[in-house]
Amino acid sequence: MLFQLYGANAGTQLIGWVLVFAALVLMNEIGRRTKAGGIALFIVLPLALTVYFIAVAVGAASGAAWAKNNQTYLYMNGWFHYAKLYAADIGCVGFMILKYKWGKLGKSHWFKAYPFVIVAINILIAVGSDFESAIKAGSLAGGWWKSTENVWLYGGWWNVVNGIAGILNILCMTGWFGIYSSKDKNKQDMLWPDMTIWFIIAYDLWNFQYTYANLPTHTWYCGVALLLAPTFAAAFWNKGGWIQNRANTLALWCMFAQVFPLFQISGKFATLPSLYQGATEAGIDAFAMTQINTVEELTAAGITANPKAQAVVAVMALIANVCVLAAIVKRSVKAKKNPYTNEIWTGTRDFEEAMARAE
């Protein structure tokens, strides 16, 4: 079992998941359908939050109690969360420049490679975090370490395997210059037709494992609801627009989680993965675990590590990315095409359905 979904809180855990999933799908639609919605969510809101983050950091540095006790400062103050938030949001803005063809930049052929660059950066941020966890664990066989956000992580060889899967996933992004605007009246979507279902599956497996191993107290939401929301939209009504959906929902979730981290680590909505063996039996939720300061205290609380699920999913992510990359090599050799400067998934259903929406 991947998550500890049983007991008195199972109902509220499921309700919390549905609320997050529905909110992400809805907010993505607001952000993608109009320029006003996109500007409000991905330019105005991040600027306002930046002022807030700076105020919290300055307040904490000066010793102000309100800042030092702030949720963001206590639980989301590490480099990764800020890097992920701003990298995702910069991606959203760049995608709007492309789909609306704003200025010379939006009309430039070379700028069509921007989605590849920003997605690769996002993946590398996570890969770096995976390798960091393996190193700080002290042993590839597995070991506990406490992150700067006061979360107990259990790193090991599975982090290395998934880091390699992430690097391969970058190589699975093909057709860098095959970027289009949708032909509807409002140019609602930036389309990347060569990013087919095979890449999406490989990415989702890799990213789920990343969150499962490195953001364990968040992964029920950011590793399941957040990953499924853009895939759901792309599968049913936004063909070819998965990467835009992904950037939008990721940026929105990061902004919410940065301000309200206790939603997912405290109380009835908190959901732990199976890694934390004994946590439910001991009556300890994710928030309570952040208050434990040593491995000895963790053990005394009845919590032991069960990383089997992490290991299995990491191997699955690696296999999926190896298979997709092998298919890319096979198709590119057969077609005698560079898979990065050319689109290689032409003729497949996903590609043709996306192209039917392009200008």
Side-chain angles (χ1 to χ4, degrees):
M1 190 171 183
L2 292 173
F3 294 96
Q4 300 187 37
L5 285 170
Y6 44 81
N9 290 341
T12 51
Q13 289 170 330
L14 291 170
I15 290 171
W17 189 94
V18 171
L19 288 174
V20 169
F21 176 81
L24 288 171
V25 171
L26 176 62
M27 295 302 289
N28 178 52
E29 292 302 302
I30 293 173
R32 65 175 274 262
R33 288 181 179 273
T34 66
K35 290 181 184 179
I39 291 170
L41 291 177
F42 305 118
I43 297 178
V44 177
L45 181 57
L47 288 174
L49 287 178
T50 299
V51 174
Y52 168 74
F53 297 147
I54 292 173
V56 170
V58 171
S62 64
W66 67 269
K68 295 186 76 171
N69 293 321
N70 181 275
Q71 291 184 35
T72 298
Y73 179 77
L74 288 175
Y75 307 109
M76 300 293 283
N77 203 36
W79 69 269
F80 171 80
H81 295 292
Y82 283 110
K84 199 70 175 176
L85 189 161
Y86 286 104
D89 189 63
I90 289 169
C92 295
V93 175
F95 295 173
M96 286 196 293
I97 291 172
L98 281 165
K99 75 174 182 176
Y100 294 128
K101 294 182 171 62
W102 284 341
K104 291 183 178 179
L105 199 60
K107 298 180 179 69
S108 301
H109 177 71
W110 67 267
F111 193 64
K112 289 184 177 182
Y114 176 82
F116 165 76
V117 173
I118 199 67
V119 175
I121 289 172
N122 271 275
I123 292 173
L124 287 173
I125 290 170
V127 167
S129 186
D130 245 330
F131 289 152
E132 176 189 38
S133 188
I135 292 168
K136 289 192 173 180
S139 170
L140 289 178
W144 288 109
W145 68 283
K146 198 171 189 181
S147 73
T148 54
E149 289 86 28
N150 295 313
V151 177
W152 282 100
L153 304 178
Y154 196 78
W157 62 264
W158 42 88
N159 292 101
V160 177
V161 168
N162 200 57
I164 295 170
I167 293 170
L168 294 181
N169 193 246
I170 294 173
L171 299 177
C172 290
M173 289 188 285
T174 59
W176 298 350
F177 298 95
I179 303 297
Y180 307 87
S181 297
S182 58
K183 61 186 176 183
D184 45 78
K185 182 176 66 175
N186 295 322
K187 290 186 174 64
Q188 293 177 358
D189 299 301
M190 185 202 78
L191 306 176
W192 190 346
D194 226 39
M195 191 167 273
T196 64
I197 186 62
W198 304 113
F199 171 82
I200 295 170
I201 290 172
Y203 176 94
D204 281 357
L205 277 171
W206 161 76
N207 194 265
F208 171 75
Q209 167 59 16
Y210 169 74
T211 66
Y212 197 64
N214 299 279
L215 302 170
T217 59
H218 299 189
T219 189
W220 175 235
Y221 298 106
C222 72
V224 184
L226 176 57
L227 279 175
L228 288 181
T231 303
F232 178 80
F236 290 101
W237 64 83
N238 192 2
K239 300 291 185 179
W242 175 83
I243 192 59
Q244 176 190 260
N245 300 340
R246 170 60 178 166
N248 288 356
T249 53
L250 177 60
L252 290 165
W253 172 254
C254 287
M255 286 186 271
F256 173 81
Q258 198 73 6
V259 179
F260 302 106
L262 289 180
F263 169 81
Q264 55 196 334
I265 66 172
S266 177
K268 294 182 178 180
F269 292 119
T271 307
L272 291 172
S274 59
L275 167 69
Y276 300 105
Q277 193 72 34
T280 297
E281 291 85 344
I284 299 175
D285 67 11
F287 176 74
M289 286 175 56
T290 66
Q291 311 305 307
I292 297 174
N293 296 313
T294 66
V295 175
E296 289 74 21
E297 290 178 17
L298 202 65
T299 304
I303 299 172
T304 56
N306 181 18
K308 292 180 181 178
Q310 291 182 341
V312 170
V313 180
V315 172
M316 289 175 60
L318 181 60
I319 291 172
N321 279 280
V322 167
C323 289
V324 173
L325 186 58
I328 289 168
V329 171
K330 181 179 178 180
R331 289 182 68 90
S332 62
V333 169
K334 183 178 180 180
K336 297 180 180 179
K337 289 182 177 180
N338 182 318
Y340 305 114
T341 57
N342 297 278
E343 295 161 301
I344 67 158
W345 293 104
T346 54
T348 62
R349 186 179 68 177
D350 279 3
F351 183 92
E352 298 304 330
E353 286 179 349
M355 285 302 297
R357 300 183 59 214
E359 281 186 326

